[in-house]
Amino acid sequence: KQEVTQIPAALSVPEGENLVLNCSFTDSAIYNLQWFRQDPGKGLTSLLLIQSSQREQTSGRLNASLDKSSGRSTLYIAASQPGDSATYLCAGRDTDKLIFGTGTRLQVFP
Amino acid sequence: NAGVTQTPKFRILKIGQSMTLQCAQDMNHNYMYWYRQDPGMGLKLIYYSVGAGITDKGEVPNGYNVSRSTTEDFPLRLELAAPSQTSVYFCASNSPMTTTEAFFGQGTRLTVV
């Protein structure tokens, strides 16, 4: 059974810092891994999708990597801004369905 | 494109009442999902469907039922509401292709009192 874990559960950093969010999964047979952002009281916004054959994907200040052999994905946020404050969720695609981690709640203060 | 549309956005139910949460998508996706998210937690899969007429249980199916008569619609039924079902419910859809991303609705916030 696929299980997805995210560390840390919460993170508070000053504006401008580069930071890394971690996502671990137990079954390396995932088809892809997707990172989402969730603002308080809102739905999920897709940030990046990494296919199982890829090592990383980039979008603006975001870079996500995938290492299936070690069961890890990381989301790197460069030059963090207060507007990046949100909960970040990773989800591994396990055949037909997405299995979610518990999320990392990020606060970036000015 | 509307994407994934959920209704209602908010609902308060009394214990023992029933209701149906509606979900519709206009992307011709075969795969559809229902998740629940409790405060401060990730998303737990309730039920999913890989096509019309096919449904399967996820991690937390007890107390819920689903049907999938069309590709577009995937309603979630609560038969006898309980306080433990107070949560935010998200519907999502995806293509069978592993190169595509999943899309989510805006959620239904349900309170059972």
Side-chain angles (χ1 to χ4, degrees):
Chain A
K1 176 188 171 186
Q2 179 73 268
E3 293 183 2
V4 181
T5 306
Q6 290 186 248
I7 295 173
L11 187 60
S12 183
V13 299
E15 181 177 9
E17 277 204 5
N18 301 322
L19 49 97
V20 175
L21 308 182
N22 296 295
C23 172
S24 300
F25 45 93
T26 56
D27 187 348
S28 62
I30 61 169
Y31 289 86
N32 62 42
L33 191 129
Q34 198 166 348
W35 283 93
F36 295 88
R37 169 185 173 137
Q38 185 177 31
D39 292 293
K42 303 294 185 183
L44 280 70
T45 300
S46 180
L47 297 174
L48 290 164
L49 171 73
I50 312 175
Q51 299 171 43
S52 61
S53 59
Q54 296 176 321
R55 295 285 293 182
E56 64 179 59
Q57 281 284 351
T58 299
S59 176
R61 293 183 294 106
L62 305 179
N63 176 278
S65 67
L66 176 63
D67 185 344
K68 286 183 60 176
S69 62
S70 66
R72 291 184 60 189
S73 177
T74 60
L75 179 67
Y76 175 83
I77 303 176
S80 58
Q81 303 170 357
D84 295 329
S85 298
T87 296
Y88 292 81
L89 295 155
C90 68
R93 177 146 171 187
D94 182 1
T95 56
D96 303 331
K97 50 194 182 291
L98 284 178
I99 306 297
F100 277 84
T102 50
T104 294
R105 188 167 61 253
L106 172 66
Q107 182 180 10
V108 181
F109 54 90
Chain B
N1 278 344
V4 180
T5 303
Q6 289 183 238
T7 56
K9 289 186 170 56
F10 303 93
R11 184 72 184 267
I12 298 175
L13 276 183
K14 293 184 178 179
I15 294 172
Q17 285 186 322
S18 301
M19 77 163 295
T20 299
L21 281 66
Q22 301 291 345
C23 176
Q25 53 93 10
D26 62 359
M27 296 170 282
N28 202 32
H29 283 167
N30 289 82
Y31 291 4
M32 294 188 75
Y33 314 91
W34 275 106
Y35 290 89
R36 61 176 285 173
Q37 185 178 35
D38 297 324
M41 304 294 287
L43 277 70
K44 298 286 188 185
L45 183 64
I46 305 171
Y47 271 96
Y48 66 104
S49 169
V50 299
I54 306 169
T55 62
D56 208 346
K57 296 178 181 179
E59 303 168 83
V60 289
N62 291 343
Y64 307 94
N65 279 301
V66 294
S67 60
R68 183 97 182 269
S69 57
T70 67
T71 299
E72 295 78 19
D73 300 298
F74 190 40
L76 177 71
R77 179 85 178 159
L78 283 71
E79 290 295 347
L80 292 170
S84 61
Q85 293 177 305
T86 293
S87 190
V88 180
Y89 292 83
F90 289 101
C91 179
S93 73
N94 204 346
S95 158
M97 296 176 62
T98 58
T99 54
T100 60
E101 59 187 26
F103 290 87
F104 279 75
Q106 287 302 299
T108 295
R109 187 174 298 274
L110 176 67
T111 302
V112 181
V113 296

